[in-house]
Amino acid sequence: HSIFPGPEAVMDIQFTDEEVAFREEIQQFLREELPDDWDPLNQGSPHSPEQLPFTKAMADKLADKGWLTLAWPEEYGGQARSIMEQTVYREEMTYWGVPGTDLGTGAISWVGPVLMISGTEEQKSEHLPPIANAERYWCTLYSEPGSGSDLASLQTSAVQDGDDYIINGQKIWTSSGHIADWGWLAARTDPDAPKHRGISLFMLDMKSPGVTVRPIVNMAGSHEFNEVYFDNVRVPKGNLVGEENRGWYTLAVALDFERSGVGYSASARRTLETLVKYAKETNRNGNPLSEDPIVRHKLAERKIEIEVSRWLSYQVAWMQSQDMVPNAEASMSKLFGTELTQKVAQTGMDILGMTGQISQGSKWAPLQGYIQRLYLSSVSSTIAAGTSEIQRDIIARRGLGLPRA
């Protein structure tokens, strides 16, 4: 049951026989298509030069199955399958660590869905089929050096010039920007309007003259983030999504799609299973770690929280299947899921002890250094797509009806 009043928010979910069979079909497909030695926890960045060919090959196979966009309408390259089937698919993809499922960052999760809502027929015809066919990779150009949680304060400008807009400014923390064909760009079109009312959304060809992408390697040693600079970049007016100066409202819908998802619990579940196996197989002071009551209790707590996270995400999917907008519920799922990611990483470090700090590549690194990388990378979990503080504010105001502080 939702914590929010109203009978329309009461979830009643049971997986149908068809949905259970679909999950089994996905699992069988992955057993056949993934390498025999596939380890979902130790594959590195899916967009690195070494991994990108396999990432694209898997995306092509998923597109051939029609699974990349299986819940999309058939006219846009989908199979018109249910939201719950899509949730099952995404849960299995994340649990197995399958790369290429979002064609960079956001192509399927929010670019396509928002275009179906706010895009013109020309935009849908141009961009949706290449996404469904795994032909076009995307990145999302929101954050700036001075605009993160307060995203509406962004300063990248878009000035109309004839049939184009001229873009100038800088974005940061752009995941997949180095491999993206197109970008989902938020820019300011009216510098004199209140900050939420002067923003517009654009689709940007990342190969446009004046676009410069510079890598950011995170402290876990992975290159997913980038800085992106715009120097008099021309974007055709036809690439404006929705109305000029009302992009914030379209962006808010995109953020709800971004904050929805079952991936947090699925990846945490895979990590927990690995930690449980490690605890059973590892002795400390002559006894199996799995017999240590502190270790047992920590793992049990994480197991409970993983199930809570899973059902929060199922609630979001169920609401979407009922044509409801899970605004506060999406924030609840995102908040709980990302904080769970950090808790699982901390539990792993606690269990591994000092050896958990050993980096990948050392023969002494337990679990190939995965827990150390997770611990470092999980710092950003509660920042990306809106900080935990922002999520709590959304839950308080839109979920509980509390006044703005």
Side-chain angles (χ1 to χ4, degrees):
H1 294 269
S2 170
I3 67 168
F4 305 123
E8 73 283 355
V10 176
M11 177 177 67
D12 180 16
I13 175 175
Q14 295 183 28
F15 287 110
T16 65
D17 292 342
E18 291 77 10
E19 290 161 354
V20 171
F22 183 48
R23 189 185 294 275
E24 294 171 352
E25 180 185 356
I26 294 170
Q27 292 171 348
Q28 182 60 36
F29 169 80
L30 294 177
R31 291 189 189 98
E32 295 172 356
E33 297 297 337
L34 292 173
D36 292 338
D37 60 350
W38 181 255
D39 180 357
L41 303 184
N42 287 294
Q43 293 304 316
S45 168
H47 303 135
S48 67
E50 299 78 18
Q51 294 294 332
L52 188 59
F54 181 70
T55 296
K56 292 190 171 183
M58 282 303 299
D60 289 341
K61 291 179 180 179
L62 293 171
D64 290 342
K65 296 282 289 185
W67 287 352
L68 277 182
T69 54
L70 59 87
W72 288 17
E74 293 180 4
E75 61 265 33
Y76 299 134
Q79 296 185 349
R81 305 278 283 269
S82 72
I83 294 293
M84 294 313 300
E85 287 176 298
Q86 177 178 268
T87 300
V88 167
Y89 160 79
R90 288 182 173 174
E91 184 170 33
E92 291 300 324
M93 292 296 119
T94 306
Y95 177 81
W96 289 72
V98 180
T101 58
D102 207 13
L103 305 185
T105 304
I108 293 161
S109 295
W110 56 87
V111 172
V114 173
L115 278 181
M116 291 181 215
I117 296 170
S118 302
T120 65
E121 290 305 315
E122 291 77 11
Q123 290 171 342
K124 296 174 187 177
S125 298
E126 178 181 356
H127 293 284
L128 295 181
I131 293 176
N133 296 327
E135 297 168 355
R136 190 168 291 175
Y137 284 64
W138 286 74
C139 64
T140 298
L141 301 156
Y142 288 165
S143 296
E144 300 180 2
S147 301
S149 294
D150 185 14
L151 182 57
S153 67
L154 62 85
Q155 294 301 309
T156 293
S157 65
V159 178
Q160 190 169 339
D161 181 45
D163 292 333
D164 296 331
Y165 287 88
I166 299 178
I167 312 295
N168 283 284
Q170 178 190 356
K171 298 292 181 177
I172 198 168
W173 313 123
T174 304
S175 300
S176 314
H178 56 301
I179 58 98
D181 304 301
W182 281 77
W184 186 251
L185 169 68
R188 186 163 300 284
T189 42
D190 186 350
D192 299 320
K195 61 182 183 180
H196 289 87
R197 299 180 184 174
I199 295 172
S200 300
L201 269 178
F202 299 91
M203 294 178 291
L204 168 72
D205 186 340
M206 292 294 288
K207 298 179 179 62
S208 300
V211 176
T212 302
V213 180
R214 295 180 183 173
I216 299 175
V217 177
N218 67 19
M219 62 182 175
S222 178
H223 174 204
E224 282 296 324
F225 299 136
N226 302 272
E227 295 178 285
V228 183
Y229 296 85
F230 311 101
D231 182 10
N232 292 321
V233 178
R234 287 188 170 270
V235 175
K237 287 176 63 177
N239 287 7
L240 172 69
V241 181
E243 297 180 45
E244 184 181 80
N245 296 327
R246 293 186 59 81
W248 178 260
Y249 308 101
T250 307
L251 186 151
V253 174
L255 285 172
D256 282 341
F257 281 115
E258 182 176 0
R259 292 166 181 161
S260 308
V262 74
Y264 304 119
S265 62
S267 59
R269 180 160 50 94
R270 172 67 84 169
T271 302
L272 183 73
E273 290 172 0
T274 301
L275 288 173
V276 169
K277 184 174 184 291
Y278 177 84
K280 289 179 178 178
E281 297 175 349
T282 304
N283 288 345
R284 187 169 295 166
N285 300 324
N287 297 308
L289 272 176
S290 57
E291 295 181 2
D292 184 323
I294 295 178
V295 170
R296 293 167 66 89
H297 290 174
K298 283 181 179 291
L299 293 173
E301 287 174 351
R302 298 296 86 81
K303 172 62 174 176
I304 293 167
E305 291 162 348
I306 286 169
E307 290 304 308
V308 172
S309 177
R310 191 180 194 184
W311 284 96
L312 284 172
S313 60
Y314 284 168
Q315 180 185 36
V316 170
W318 178 82
M319 290 181 67
Q320 290 172 333
S321 73
Q322 303 298 308
D323 295 324
M324 291 185 281
V325 178
N327 187 267
E329 291 83 358
S331 287
M332 289 171 59
S333 177
K334 194 271 184 188
L335 171 66
F336 197 92
T338 53
E339 294 194 348
L340 169 64
T341 300
Q342 294 181 347
K343 288 181 179 179
V344 170
Q346 180 64 65
T347 297
M349 292 295 282
D350 291 343
I351 292 174
L352 268 57
M354 295 295 287
T355 61
Q357 300 180 40
I358 302 175
S359 300
Q360 185 179 24
S362 169
K363 67 177 182 178
W364 305 109
L367 306 179
Q368 301 181 52
Y370 167 71
I371 297 299
Q372 183 224 40
R373 295 193 304 278
L374 177 64
Y375 183 81
L376 293 173
S377 62
S378 67
V379 172
S380 65
S381 298
T382 54
I383 300 172
T387 64
S388 290
E389 291 74 18
I390 292 294
Q391 306 311 318
R392 287 187 171 92
D393 190 56
I394 292 171
I395 294 165
R397 291 191 291 109
R398 301 178 189 173
L400 299 175
L402 299 179
R404 183 185 294 272

